[in-house]
Amino acid sequence: MRMCCSSSMWLHCLIVAAVLSVYLVVNADDPYRYYTWTVTYGTAYPLGVPQQVILINGQFPGPQLDVVTNDNIVLNLFNKLDQPFLLTWNGIKQRKNSWQDGVLGTNCPIPPNSNYTYNFQPKDQIGSFNYFPSTAMHRAAGGYGAINVYSRPRIPVPYPTPAGDFTVLVGDWYKTGPKQLQGMLDSGSSLPYPDGVLINGRPHTTFTGDQGKTYRLRISNMGLSTSLNFRIQGHTMTLVECEGSHTQQNIYDSLDIHVGQSVSVLVTLNSPPKDYNIVVSTRFGQPTLNATAVLHYSNSQISASGWPAGPPDVNQYGWSMQQARTYRWNLTANAARPNPQGSFHYGTITPQKTIVLANTAVLVNGKSRYAVNGVSYVNAATPLKLADYFNIPGVYNTNSLQDTPSGGGTSVATSVMPANHHDFIEVVFQNNENSMQSWHLDGYDFWVVGYDFGQWTPDKKKTYNLVDALTRHTAQVYPKSWTAILISLDNQGMWNMRSAMWGQQYLGQQFYLRVWNPVQSLANEYDIPTNVLLCGKAVGKHH
């Protein structure tokens, strides 16, 4: 069920808002959108064999959320699985509202045969985002979908309105089910190489358009572990948006999209009328796996043949890093607000702190784990946000994770890094492993100011892009390389910083950033929802 309140329904909306007054995020000036979703198991054939997948309202992938900046989303989620379940809203900042983030550090999972109502806004956001299960390895079975946040009518976008808007959810896929994959990880193994690649839940699909018209493709890598390359035979792509930021409109033949990332491109159907192949292929691993789609001209009488050329086989990481450096912020475009994106001069601000985070693959008690600065994260039975609110001691540790790698052994802890509200910080992801990394931060986007091979040193700051670096929520780190980001900590809360590669996240490559202001005010953070689920040591607490 979905309903958006129009002006004729305003009185009804006020009544509903009164009943739901628990939800402090609701802003009476902005429309409400109501949803009821039911999560179930079902059978699908993503790679040609029957598999148990996770459906939302009977759909795989799940329903698409098409909303407008600042809409109030009230979503009642019923869990009909046999395990606890949560959805997280990837890229939605949850301004002042980490209570709705949908990860185990902020929320108790929804028990089987129970429900929870999320209430949140894409506050001052536009762009292409997504949602997915954050519990266990449920993400490997589906339960994901797109969130498309459109600009308010009075806010211009820096390109003509496209003739159509296509969501393209790509990702690696396993024939092995989520419980079996979780069993592999629990027994001390890493995830195996995937079995295939999907486009919108299938290995093959079709997109249809009219010759001469321009279409927007919103492409998200929903996979567990694999970078992908996206390309369209006989057509170029103009990059226009990346995870909520308007970009400089550079033209590409193919794009690398890493785990957890999203981009929007414009494609003009300006070739002879026929069908053209779209190819999504795995990167940096063997064998190369592919999924295909057809770009079908509505007046075509000719089937697609041949494949578009992919990126070069030599110097793959160098080619990809160089492409990443060409992603630039559109300084003159408006984003969700009337002021231009470039009006915030991030490069003139001196960071209060530099944090260097080194990821490592380790053995703990003979089993594979992943760690950050020597600490492998374990989930607590009590969400960290509830522990904070109820002053429950012993749930998490703010001393275990240091700002820089120590070079010592590995410990296991529920690690939280404290940070001051309104600080401006520099974070360097140092990857000394031989594999790709992809890092995500909930509650924020950040400026990706530098990439390079080798070890980061303070001298590398001279190479940073301090003028028009892109803002996004997920940044890739190449093997034996570093990536540097700048973050303005303007969103108080408990925020998950994690590997977007889900097996590594599950085995400890994550922690929480506690952005805190000792002056408690609803201007900084919303209060606990009255419908909050309680678990662990919070059971029986009153609020």
Side-chain angles (χ1 to χ4, degrees):
M1 179 184 71
R2 185 175 111 181
M3 176 177 66
C4 181
C5 292
S6 64
S7 57
S8 65
M9 299 174 65
W10 186 242
L11 179 58
H12 170 71
C13 287
L14 287 178
I15 294 170
V16 173
V19 173
L20 300 176
S21 59
V22 355
Y23 304 121
L24 296 175
V25 69
V26 167
N27 183 332
D29 295 330
D30 299 308
Y32 299 84
R33 294 182 184 267
Y34 296 96
Y35 304 85
T36 299
W37 285 3
T38 301
V39 181
T40 60
Y41 291 121
T43 301
Y45 297 76
L47 293 177
V49 296
Q51 287 183 255
Q52 186 183 72
V53 298
I54 292 177
L55 308 175
I56 299 180
N57 288 359
Q59 300 177 44
F60 169 71
Q64 182 169 300
L65 285 177
D66 288 318
V67 300
V68 175
T69 301
N70 295 351
D71 281 355
N72 294 294
I73 299 168
V74 183
L75 192 151
N76 192 1
L77 185 70
F78 286 84
N79 176 21
K80 297 298 184 181
L81 306 184
D82 58 356
Q83 294 180 312
F85 186 82
L86 281 172
L87 287 178
T88 190
W89 316 96
N90 196 44
I92 301 301
K93 295 180 187 177
Q94 306 290 2
R95 296 287 302 173
K96 303 188 287 187
N97 200 26
S98 62
W99 297 109
Q100 305 292 337
D101 201 30
V103 290
L104 290 173
T106 59
N107 296 84
C108 296
I110 305 167
N113 297 310
S114 187
N115 70 299
Y116 175 73
T117 300
Y118 292 90
N119 189 285
F120 61 92
Q121 282 182 298
K123 180 67 175 174
D124 293 333
Q125 289 189 264
I126 56 97
S128 308
F129 308 102
N130 51 75
Y131 62 87
F132 60 80
S134 64
T135 40
M137 291 298 292
H138 292 137
R139 184 173 173 177
Y144 59 74
I147 306 173
N148 298 332
V149 184
Y150 292 87
S151 298
R152 291 170 289 179
R154 63 181 177 273
I155 305 295
V157 296
Y159 47 84
T161 302
D165 197 315
F166 295 115
T167 291
V168 188
L169 303 178
V170 299
D172 56 22
W173 188 260
Y174 293 83
K175 294 178 181 178
T176 306
K179 293 179 182 178
Q180 290 74 24
L181 290 175
Q182 183 177 345
M184 291 181 191
L185 297 174
D186 290 340
S187 68
S189 301
S190 298
L191 287 181
Y193 199 69
D195 296 304
V197 176
L198 302 182
I199 304 174
N200 290 347
R202 302 173 179 85
H204 186 80
T205 190
T206 298
F207 301 96
T208 299
D210 297 330
Q211 188 175 22
K213 294 184 178 179
T214 298
Y215 296 85
R216 179 175 182 170
L217 276 64
R218 300 173 182 262
I219 312 163
S220 294
N221 187 337
M222 305 299 299
L224 296 183
S225 60
T226 312
S227 298
L228 299 171
N229 182 266
F230 184 94
R231 54 198 186 271
I232 306 174
Q233 183 183 26
H235 296 76
T236 58
M237 299 173 286
T238 302
L239 184 69
V240 293
E241 179 257 333
C242 177
E243 296 166 21
S245 286
H246 291 305
T247 63
Q248 292 184 21
Q249 295 179 15
N250 297 327
I251 298 173
Y252 299 89
D253 293 316
S254 73
L255 289 170
D256 278 356
I257 305 170
H258 306 279
V259 178
Q261 294 184 341
S262 300
V263 297
S264 284
V265 299
L266 297 181
V267 178
T268 300
L269 276 59
N270 54 6
S271 294
K274 54 171 287 191
D275 290 355
Y276 295 88
N277 276 318
I278 300 171
V279 176
V280 181
S281 56
T282 55
R283 294 282 276 149
F284 318 128
Q286 293 295 328
T288 299
L289 305 174
N290 300 288
T292 60
V294 169
L295 177 59
H296 172 69
Y297 280 45
S298 59
N299 58 342
S300 167
Q301 301 296 322
I302 304 173
S303 298
S305 61
W307 280 23
D313 291 331
V314 296
N315 191 28
Q316 294 185 42
Y317 295 121
W319 183 94
S320 185
M321 183 184 290
Q322 187 55 41
Q323 181 181 85
R325 289 177 176 143
T326 67
Y327 288 16
R328 300 296 181 98
W329 219 16
N330 187 330
L331 298 179
T332 60
N334 306 106
R337 304 177 74 175
N339 50 307
Q341 292 181 146
S343 60
F344 188 88
H345 301 287
Y346 70 93
T348 64
I349 304 171
T350 301
Q352 279 93 351
K353 179 189 288 189
T354 296
I355 299 168
V356 180
L357 301 174
N359 57 273
T360 50
V362 296
L363 288 176
V364 176
N365 297 324
K367 295 183 178 181
S368 293
R369 298 281 304 178
Y370 293 88
V372 185
N373 288 1
V375 183
S376 186
Y377 184 90
V378 289
N379 285 304
T382 307
L384 318 184
K385 191 68 184 161
L386 291 180
D388 250 6
Y389 181 82
F390 291 116
N391 294 313
I392 302 171
V395 172
Y396 63 83
N397 191 325
T398 57
N399 299 315
S400 59
L401 185 64
Q402 303 305 308
D403 291 348
T404 56
S406 65
T410 301
S411 61
V412 175
T414 304
S415 44
V416 172
M417 182 174 287
N420 296 321
H421 190 209
H422 296 307
D423 272 4
F424 191 82
I425 65 172
E426 173 186 30
V427 177
V428 179
F429 301 111
Q430 180 68 55
N431 179 18
N432 295 325
E433 302 293 320
N434 292 316
S435 58
M436 284 291 300
Q437 302 290 326
S438 189
W439 277 96
H440 171 85
L441 175 60
D442 282 348
Y444 290 93
D445 53 17
F446 43 71
W447 291 269
V448 186
V449 293
Y451 306 88
D452 207 351
F453 295 103
Q455 292 291 312
W456 181 87
T457 62
D459 191 57
K460 300 293 186 180
K461 297 182 183 187
K462 298 175 183 177
T463 68
Y464 286 1
N465 176 2
L466 298 178
V467 177
D468 58 359
L470 188 69
T471 61
R472 64 187 317 167
H473 57 66
T474 303
Q476 73 272 26
V477 192
Y478 296 92
K480 306 292 185 182
S481 302
W482 57 266
T483 297
I485 65 173
L486 299 176
I487 316 172
S488 177
L489 298 180
D490 60 354
N491 192 14
Q492 183 169 317
M494 186 75 74
W495 303 110
N496 191 208
M497 184 174 278
R498 61 176 178 265
S499 173
M501 296 173 165
W502 212 245
Q504 293 175 209
Q505 175 274 156
Y506 180 84
L507 289 179
Q509 192 175 320
Q510 62 168 311
F511 65 94
Y512 281 79
L513 191 67
R514 181 180 185 260
V515 180
W516 185 252
N517 190 327
V519 179
Q520 294 301 289
S521 167
L522 293 179
N524 295 333
E525 185 173 20
Y526 296 123
D527 204 353
I528 187 171
T530 57
N531 72 326
V532 67
L533 298 178
L534 300 180
C535 56
K537 296 180 180 179
V539 171
K541 298 289 186 180
H542 298 287
H543 55 91

